[in-house]
């Protein structure tokens, strides 16, 4: 099929309806066979559990056109595993992990003409999600669920691409201790909406959330994990039970150690030590890595030596290596790349 007539180089990170999506329904204790369909509309009761009590979870991953023209998806098995973990925490039935990977592959293949060409900087974003669909008025889990996958071609998550951003220390909490911060539940993101609107109104690109218990340790932003580079070139990421286990972050830590020979460490990162780092970035599926040039803590500016003009040198190497793996320019570790046949 011919590629769609889209201005690939000027895409925003927004929704564009594509032709096909995947749907599977859970009822009477089992999932049906699932199917690729054309209808993008969802019909449900006004009392559906997802509308009343936010029983919904989701994932995000991308499909790429590689240098040699193949369409690939990146580590979908980890998304399947994370959705399964989210399901258990939210009292939802697990969608089988092998079926998850197959559903993603089917949806990407069905929308192959929306996968941006190699070299455009754009990708096909893939959104699997699940929600409770039957009417529920008492506070309890749903009995019936729907699992769906849609796709949309997207540009960079942050406008300006790799230009360093300025973020702020948030006065709001993202997740409670022993809460749902370590799963990808829609309710976590609803909690962050007021905080991100507030940050944007104040001129910041994002929030840095601290741990809710002591407000002394770095956790994550509303949609990405943090990654820091020390002045002696060690890669450090915050450790916490209420941080979402980012697939991109885990991949970058592997790349840092195994491809670039850097020392890596996952540990508690304290607010008071931020000024000791040489570089800072936000990492996640949407942005891959977005460099942070400055953090503002209630008027106090913490400026990283890497500056506000471009990525720091180590962050750039990490970004180039991971995107090189995703785009087929660099050989991937076994099992990281699934080719869409």
């Amino acid at each position: 099929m011919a590629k769609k007539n889209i201005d690939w180089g000027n895409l925003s990170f927004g929704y564009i309806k594509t032709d096909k999506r995947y749907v599977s329904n859970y009822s009477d204790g089992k999932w049906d066979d699932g199917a690729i369909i054309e209808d993008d509309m969802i019909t449900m009761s006004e009392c559906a559990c997802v509308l009343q009590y936010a029983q919904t979870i989701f994932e995000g991953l991308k499909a790429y056109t590689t240098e040699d023209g193949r369409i690939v998806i990146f580590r979908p098995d980890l998304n399947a595993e994370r959705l399964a973990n989210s399901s258990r925490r939210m009292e939802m039935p697990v969608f089988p992990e092998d079926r998850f990977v197959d559903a993603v592959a089917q949806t990407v293949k069905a929308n192959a003409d929306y996968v941006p060409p190699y070299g455009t900087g754009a990708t096909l974003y893939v959104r699997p999600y699940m929600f409770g669909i039957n009417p529920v008025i008492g506070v309890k889990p749903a009995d019936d669920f729907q699992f769906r996958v849609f796709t949309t071609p997207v540009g960079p998550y942050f406008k300006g691409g790799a230009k360093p951003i300025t973020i702020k220390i948030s006065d709001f909490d993202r997740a409670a201790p022993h809460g749902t911060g370590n799963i990808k539940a829609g309710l976590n993101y609803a909690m962050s909406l007021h905080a991100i609107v507030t940050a944007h109104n104040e001129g910041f690109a994002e929030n840095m959330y601290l741990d809710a218990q002591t407000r002394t340790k770095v956790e994550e932003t509303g949609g990405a994990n943090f990654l820091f580079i020390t002045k002696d070139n060690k890669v450090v990421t915050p450790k916490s039970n209420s941080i979402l286990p980012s697939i991109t972050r885990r991949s970058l830590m592997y790349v840092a150690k195994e491809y670039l020979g850097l020392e890596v460490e996952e540990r508690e990162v304290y607010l008071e030590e931020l000024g000791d780092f040489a570089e800072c970035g936000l990492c996640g599926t949407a942005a891959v890595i977005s460099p942070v040039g400055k953090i503002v803590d209630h008027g106090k500016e913490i400026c990283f030596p890497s500056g506000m003009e471009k990525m720091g040198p180590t962050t750039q190497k990490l970004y180039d290596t991971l995107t090189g793996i995703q785009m087929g320019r660099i050989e991937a570790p076994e099992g990281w790349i699934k080719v869409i046949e």
Side-chain angles (χ1 to χ4, degrees), residues 156-167 204-206 208 221 224-229 252 278-284 286-295 302-320:
Y157 186 71
F158 290 105
K159 293 178 181 178
K163 189 173 177 61
I165 59 175
T166 300
I167 66 176
F204 299 101
E206 253 292 4
M208 171 180 278
T221 71
N225 283 186
F226 279 101
L227 182 143
F228 299 98
I229 312 297
L252 285 166
E279 303 172 36
C280 173
L282 312 181
C283 54
V288 184
I289 307 178
S290 186
V292 176
K294 184 191 302 182
I295 299 172
I302 303 166
C303 300
F304 295 100
S306 51
M308 293 297 297
E309 294 304 313
K310 60 182 181 180
M311 277 190 185
T314 301
T315 304
Q316 187 70 59
K317 287 178 184 176
L318 287 166
Y319 177 87
D320 290 344

Side-chain angles (χ1 to χ4, degrees), residues 45-185:
S45 166
E46 62 186 353
C47 195
C49 188
V50 64
L51 301 179
Q52 304 307 317
Y53 303 121
Q55 193 180 20
T56 179
I57 56 177
F58 69 98
E59 278 298 321
L61 64 161
K62 287 181 175 179
Y64 310 83
T65 302
T66 61
E67 191 172 31
D68 60 5
R70 296 176 301 162
I71 295 175
V72 302
I73 47 181
F74 182 69
R75 308 194 77 177
D77 57 313
L78 294 188
N79 294 95
E81 178 185 52
R82 193 167 65 180
L83 190 87
N85 290 335
S86 297
S87 300
R88 296 182 186 103
R89 178 64 175 83
M90 292 288 285
E91 291 295 329
M92 305 170 79
V94 170
F95 193 73
E97 294 182 29
D98 57 339
R99 286 193 58 189
F100 175 101
V101 174
D102 181 62
V104 168
Q106 284 189 51
T107 311
V108 171
K109 184 174 182 178
N111 294 291
D113 47 344
Y114 286 95
V115 181
Y118 174 80
T120 60
T123 54
L124 187 73
Y125 188 79
V126 184
R127 170 55 58 84
Y129 60 112
M130 189 197 304
F131 53 94
I133 197 168
N134 65 288
V136 173
I137 196 64
V139 180
K140 63 178 182 178
D143 296 310
D144 298 339
F145 295 85
Q146 192 167 97
F147 171 80
R148 299 176 71 102
V149 185
F150 71 81
T151 60
T152 182
V154 297
Y157 186 71
F158 290 105
K159 293 178 181 178
K163 189 173 177 61
I165 59 175
T166 300
I167 66 176
K168 65 169 288 191
I169 303 292
S170 181
D171 291 322
F172 301 98
D173 294 328
R174 175 189 161 270
H178 314 295
T180 57
N182 63 338
I183 66 167
K184 207 164 177 66

